[in-house]
Amino acid sequence: MIGAAVMSEGSEGEEVFIDDEDIINEIPLDEEDLPDQDDDDEQDEDMMDEVEDHSAYAFHGHTDEVFAVACSPVDASLVVSGGKDDRGFLWRIGSAEDVQELPGHNDTVSTVAFSSDGKLVACGSTDGQINVWNTATRTLQGTLEGSESGFEWLKWDLRSHVIIAGSEDFNIWMWDADTDAFVNTFAGHSNTVTCGDFTPDGELICSGSDDATLRIWDRESAHCRHVVGGHGFHTQGLTCLAITWDSQSIVTGSQDSSVHIVSIKSGQVVGALVGHTNSVECIGISPRNNWVATGSIDQTLIIWDLTHQAIRSVCEHDDGVTCLAWIGSSRYVASGCIDGTVRVWDSLSGELARILSGHRDVVQSLAVSADCNSIVSVSSDKSARVFDISMFK
């Protein structure tokens, strides 16, 4: 550089100037030889490409984070997903052509679910609207309205086309999707209703809230039979719940790291599953036996024997656990992790059976196909991925 001041070694800070006559030789440099910011970006992309991809299929229809996924209970290749791009998609595993966008929302599609007969699929949004679609004709069956606040979750009755959904307006809403008719609201919580479901026998509804209470409702009258809260229960908001297959007990998880067992009949807390040290994000009860799996931000999945209220095994992860799914009635349970992996665990031994990688961001939700050959995971990386789990059936 002509006229540039440089420091010479041993000069104790004095400035030495280089003039034209000091130049011995000029070496021309091609701009391509110089380091470029784009090269750094490409290196970063190359590092991302190093994530090993075990998926058998990937769906890239979404343009933002994907939060929700469900598999049809009757069609093993049909999947619904919803995300931050305000869209739902109905798509088929292995087919880039058989894709149906489910439009009509103006905010995040936060929850999706198929009816138990697979004939209808519902997309719920933080815009306070649920759209119901016919899976055979791929047409809009109807729009379920009432709440002007966002929906956190929705569930179908196992024996009908009745839907319930938990809202940020502190209520649970119920509709008949066959007629688009509003049926009832279940009012009593004092904060967002974060989780809920029908009991498997269809008689009651259970709901958990950020108000740190569990409520048990009569389905027909919307009368609240039990309010569970206060001393001996959760001290912070409920995040998840699961109901035993005999409709006798509810297992609840909370931000406060605790897991409790509640009797549906009496509304009494009958046990605590002590083991987690951070927010419990997901709960799943095995269809095979009286075991329950819980996943937490504390980087563990714990498998419990519900009958004895005891830990069977602690499954360690490299980051927080966000979601889980039992693989049919097998002994295997899958977990989704903040590190972008899906892990399959043997619940009998507690051993890790498989790590399924491919995502580059948080796994938000998991769903198992009707034939249990595939597990579908959705992620903040904007993709849905399908992994072969046929060996774990």
Side-chain angles (χ1 to χ4, degrees):
M1 263 180 262
I2 310 302
V6 296
M7 294 291 196
S8 64
E9 286 186 30
S11 64
E12 296 183 351
E14 66 177 285
E15 294 181 344
V16 178
F17 290 91
I18 298 173
D19 296 318
D20 285 351
E21 57 263 26
D22 295 319
I23 297 172
I24 299 170
N25 189 20
E26 288 188 23
I27 301 171
L29 278 177
D30 192 322
E31 284 190 10
E32 290 182 2
D33 296 331
L34 295 172
D36 190 5
Q37 178 63 42
D38 291 340
D39 291 342
D40 294 338
D41 293 341
E42 286 174 12
Q43 285 178 357
D44 291 341
E45 288 176 11
D46 289 341
M47 289 176 65
M48 293 290 281
D49 288 337
E50 289 173 12
V51 175
E52 192 173 358
D53 188 2
H54 298 133
S55 62
Y57 182 73
F59 175 71
H60 295 288
H62 289 281
T63 57
D64 209 329
E65 296 182 64
V66 192
F67 293 134
V69 66
C71 291
S72 165
V74 296
D75 184 336
S77 66
L78 195 60
V79 181
V80 64
S81 57
K84 196 177 177 181
D85 56 5
D86 307 349
R87 296 188 295 174
F89 282 97
L90 196 60
W91 51 277
R92 200 168 283 285
I93 294 172
S95 172
E97 290 76 37
D98 194 353
V99 176
Q100 173 76 40
E101 183 181 345
L102 308 176
H105 294 288
N106 53 35
D107 210 336
T108 298
V109 176
S110 52
T111 176
V112 295
F114 285 92
S115 59
S116 60
D117 59 9
K119 292 180 178 178
L120 301 176
V121 65
C123 296
S125 169
T126 51
D127 66 7
Q129 188 170 292
I130 295 174
N131 287 337
V132 179
W133 300 82
N134 183 303
T135 57
T137 62
R138 306 289 177 95
T139 55
L140 183 65
Q141 170 105 354
T143 297
L144 310 179
E145 296 173 316
S147 175
E148 295 182 357
S149 301
F151 288 110
E152 295 274 309
W153 54 270
L154 66 85
K155 298 284 184 178
W156 292 87
D157 176 31
L158 292 176
R159 296 166 185 79
S160 70
H161 286 165
V162 171
I163 287 181
I164 54 171
S167 174
E168 294 171 352
D169 69 5
F170 311 169
N171 298 316
I172 301 110
W173 293 73
M174 178 188 280
W175 303 266
D176 183 338
D178 285 331
T179 58
D180 301 335
F182 163 75
V183 178
N184 228 329
T185 50
F186 299 76
H189 284 296
S190 59
N191 209 326
T192 298
V193 186
T194 54
C195 51
D197 206 347
F198 292 96
T199 53
D201 61 16
E203 293 183 7
L204 303 173
I205 290 167
C206 306
S207 61
S209 168
D210 270 336
D211 66 10
T213 69
L214 168 76
R215 285 177 176 260
I216 302 170
W217 312 82
D218 183 82
R219 170 182 173 159
E220 297 302 323
S221 67
H223 168 70
C224 183
R225 290 192 180 185
H226 302 292
V227 182
V228 187
H231 182 70
F233 198 53
H234 303 294
T235 59
Q236 291 178 262
L238 276 69
T239 52
C240 49
L241 64 78
I243 304 169
T244 55
W245 300 102
D246 59 7
S247 299
Q248 295 300 304
S249 304
I250 312 166
V251 185
T252 57
S254 168
Q255 297 168 18
D256 67 7
S257 81
S258 65
V259 179
H260 286 289
I261 307 166
V262 176
S263 164
I264 290 178
K265 186 175 182 179
S266 69
Q268 298 295 308
V269 179
V270 295
L273 303 179
V274 181
H276 287 299
T277 58
N278 206 330
S279 179
V280 178
E281 296 295 301
C282 48
I283 296 176
I285 296 174
S286 169
R288 173 191 176 105
N289 46 36
N290 216 26
W291 292 357
V292 62
T294 56
S296 169
I297 297 299
D298 67 9
Q299 306 188 4
T300 66
L301 177 86
I302 301 181
I303 297 165
W304 313 80
D305 181 331
L306 208 51
T307 304
H308 299 98
Q309 299 182 16
I311 292 177
R312 282 197 55 87
S313 49
V314 178
C315 307
E316 301 282 352
H317 294 66
D318 296 332
D319 212 330
V321 179
T322 56
C323 50
L324 68 85
W326 286 91
I327 300 174
S329 57
S330 78
R331 68 178 197 256
Y332 295 98
V333 60
S335 57
C337 189
I338 288 175
D339 68 7
T341 63
V342 176
R343 288 170 164 85
V344 180
W345 304 88
D346 184 335
S347 66
L348 294 180
S349 65
E351 292 180 356
L352 178 62
R354 190 71 53 91
I355 296 179
L356 303 170
S357 61
H359 287 297
R360 296 171 177 174
D361 207 337
V362 180
V363 176
Q364 296 282 1
S365 186
L366 294 172
V368 177
S369 64
D371 59 8
C372 294
N373 284 332
S374 303
I375 190 164
V376 185
S377 56
V378 295
S379 166
S380 295
D381 69 6
K382 308 177 187 179
S383 76
R385 294 187 178 272
V386 182
F387 300 96
D388 178 15
I389 54 166
S390 56
M391 66 292 295
F392 301 117
K393 287 203 294 186

